[in-house]
């Protein structure tokens, strides 16, 4: 099982968005050095605790600062954009960094209702044709004529000799089947709910059809992991993330991530503690050996090809060390597979 990284570019109270984006570069460079396969950047709107509202720009910057690691989006939120614009953006990225770009797309909004309408200029977004957008994107990336007349007169430029690898973010059997039949990788965010969907994984693994965007099936599952020398340390550095997730579940303003010291000094009610316990379920928090063991068990049980690791931790040195521990446990080496 390969290891990769999902970076949501967290912003803590001890830093700034600029520092978080600089950290994204240094993390990608470390990931390349350690042997992680890819690093993705998510799309979130209106979130002051995340500096990832324009992942395609972060991808361009990070790809220019690295040499071999795959760089991509996890993912572009399709509802907000024309498939032509997405295809042109990723054709440009692919021309600049051939063979290294991942186009991950998702159907979620990446923001609240206000963000959805602001991005659509006050119009109700069309949510019924998102899978059709993928078909149009794939045709445009391959310089084929899409079936919809509106896209038949404007080719996606610039011309590119290669195409980005394509991935669909999803959580259901429907999205798994769409990814499989369209020849895309399938990425499942376990860290968001703490749960897995074995049925969706089976559907994807059984129905995958090779394409120019993905030659072999690729099932990727994103896990939150915080790895330290001791379990107590890992729990300590994870608390700010747990508090942030608790606030999200309650519909409260997220705000910037607390530092570990600030989180440790918080006073919690009995209800708070129940929320934190619920949020903690399914997250991988512990020593290098214990977390690696859990990841391997998941991989073997569900035929997972790649574990994508999400780690929120302040300071950056602790976050980077967590990724180092996992790289050592999995004996990662620089370089690796084409996808």
């Amino acid at each position: 099982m390969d290891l990769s990284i999902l970076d949501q570019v967290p912003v803590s109270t001890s830093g700034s968005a600029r520092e978080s984006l600089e950290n994204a570069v240094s993390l990608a460079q470390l990931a390349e050095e350690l042997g992680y396969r890819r690093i993705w950047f998510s799309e979130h709107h209106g979130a002051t605790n995340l500096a990832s509202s324009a992942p395609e720009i972060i991808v361009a910057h990070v790809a220019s600062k690295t040499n071999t690691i795959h760089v991509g989006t996890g993912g572009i939120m399709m509802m907000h954009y024309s498939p032509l614009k997405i295809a042109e953006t990723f054709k440009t990225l692919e021309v600049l960094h051939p063979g290294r770009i991942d186009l991950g797309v998702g159907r979620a909004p990446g923001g609240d209702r206000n963000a959805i309408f602001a991005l659509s200029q006050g119009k109700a977004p069309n949510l019924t044709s998102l899978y059709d957008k993928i078909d149009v994107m794939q045709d445009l990336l391959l310089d084929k004529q899409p079936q919809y007349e509106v896209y038949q007169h404007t080719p996606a430029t610039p011309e590119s000799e290669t195409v980005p690898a394509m991935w669909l973010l999803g959580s259901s059997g429907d999205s798994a089947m769409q990814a499989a039949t369209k020849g895309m990788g399938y990425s499942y965010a376990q860290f968001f709910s703490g749960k897995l969907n074995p049925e969706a994984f089976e559907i994807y693994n059984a129905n995958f059809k090779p394409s120019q965007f993905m030659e072999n099936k690729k099932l990727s599952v994103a896990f939150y992991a915080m790895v330290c020398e001791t379990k107590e340390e890992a729990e300590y550095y994870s608390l700010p993330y747990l508090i942030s997730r608790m606030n999200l579940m309650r519909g409260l303003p997220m705000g910037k991530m607390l530092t570990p010291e600030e989180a440790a000094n918080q006073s919690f009610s009995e209800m708070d503690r129940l929320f934190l316990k619920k949020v903690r379920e399914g997250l991988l928090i512990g020593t290098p050996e214990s977390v690696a063991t859990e990841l391997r068990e998941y991989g073997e049980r569900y035929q997972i090809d790649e574990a994508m690791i999400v780690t929120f931790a302040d300071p950056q040195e602790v976050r980077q060390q967590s990724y180092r521990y996992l790289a050592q446990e999995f004996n990662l080496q620089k370089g690796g597979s084409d996808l």
Side-chain angles (χ1 to χ4, degrees), residues 213-232:
F213 302 100
M214 190 74 63
E215 293 183 359
N216 302 298
K217 73 104 177 172
K218 200 77 169 179
L219 172 59
S220 174
V221 177
F223 298 90
Y224 174 87
M226 183 67 243
V227 185
C228 291
E229 189 173 350
T230 67
K231 186 176 186 297
E232 291 73 22

Side-chain angles (χ1 to χ4, degrees), residues 57-99:
I57 295 178
I58 304 175
V59 167
H61 183 58
V62 168
S64 72
K65 299 289 186 179
T66 52
N67 299 299
T68 57
I69 191 170
H70 276 242
V71 188
T73 53
I76 294 294
M77 300 295 99
M78 293 185 290
M79 70 166 64
H80 305 307
Y81 314 109
S82 159
L84 174 61
K85 179 59 178 174
I86 297 173
E88 288 183 329
T89 297
F90 280 81
K91 269 197 165 188
T92 302
L93 289 169
E94 184 68 20
V95 168
L96 291 170
H97 308 284

Side-chain angles (χ1 to χ4, degrees), residues 279-294:
V279 171
R280 172 69 174 77
E281 293 176 1
L283 304 185
L284 308 183
I285 300 173
T287 64
E289 182 180 4
S290 68
V291 172
T293 297
E294 287 187 86

Side-chain angles (χ1 to χ4, degrees), residues 148-168:
Y148 298 102
E149 196 271 339
V150 68
Y151 299 110
Q152 293 177 357
H153 309 288
T154 306
T157 56
E159 294 183 353
S160 175
E161 296 179 359
T162 57
V163 294
M166 287 192 71
W167 297 73
L168 178 61

Side-chain angles (χ1 to χ4, degrees), residues 197-218:
N197 187 338
E199 181 182 354
F201 301 163
E202 291 174 6
I203 289 172
Y204 175 75
N205 287 330
N207 292 280
F208 177 81
K209 296 180 179 179
S211 75
Q212 289 177 260
F213 302 100
M214 190 74 63
E215 293 183 359
N216 302 298
K217 73 104 177 172
K218 200 77 169 179

